[in-house]
Amino acid sequence: MPVNTESYQQLISQECMKNVQLVAVSKTKPNEDIMSLYHLGQRDFGENYVQELVDKAAILPSDIHWHFIGHLQSNKVKYIAPFVYLIQGVDSEKLLIEINKQAQKNNRVIDVLLQVHIATEETKFGFDEMALLELMQSGRIAQYTHIKVRGLMGMASFSDDQKLIQQELFSLKNTFNKCTQPIHLPAFDILSMGMSSDYSIAIEQGSTLIRLGSLLFGARNYKK
Ligand SMILES: *Cc1c(COP(=O)(O)O)cnc(C)c1O
């Protein structure tokens, strides 16, 4: 299936996208597909698998901003630390510590988002709100000098229930506000929520960054 460049053009010209960043989620998709959006000006791409990301980054243009959006294992941070642009979905302090260590080794400060568990499914990753607020208020983040915590990321339930999705995304925005009000981390300004099926709701609920895969690249085939 070809890349849906029309959907892409249409989307980025929309009024509601003025203050929302688009990450094109290219996991499982070939380099040609990435390049067809690249030629239209897209620079932010999201990947879920470390090896796939490393392979693509080695070949594709160096001005691409690579977002890691999947579940990241601590022992794999070292492979993406030299070049990754934003690690979305940091779901434990252990991972934060490892990213800090690898960033330091690479003489970098790596931007990250903390993932919050908002969905009904147990299988999704992330901090619950209490643990997140505890971490935010503890002052420990300031010790991780090679990390910049830029905001939060979350995924709503995989569901047709629009009301449920809206409530979950609303709760994430609420959590985001609780993090920004008392604390004032210098650059805490990204709220990553919204995928192909729920990005409109997510923007309504205050998303600043949406992650779109299938809408742009077509359905994924995991069996290759
Ligand atoms: C795959 C993925 C997306 C994109 O999903 P689509 O439904 O294809 O838009 C967004 N966010 C995360 C975390 C993903 O894993």
Side-chain angles (χ1 to χ4, degrees), residues 10 12 41 91 96 116 123 190 213 215 222:
Q10 209 181 28
I12 58 170
D91 57 6
L96 213 49
V116 188
T123 49
I190 301 176
L215 188 80
Y222 284 100

Side-chain angles (χ1 to χ4, degrees), residues 183-198:
I183 301 149
H184 302 300
L185 279 182
F188 195 89
D189 57 5
I190 301 176
L191 179 56
S192 170
M193 59 183 195
M195 309 172 35
S196 293
S197 56
D198 62 7

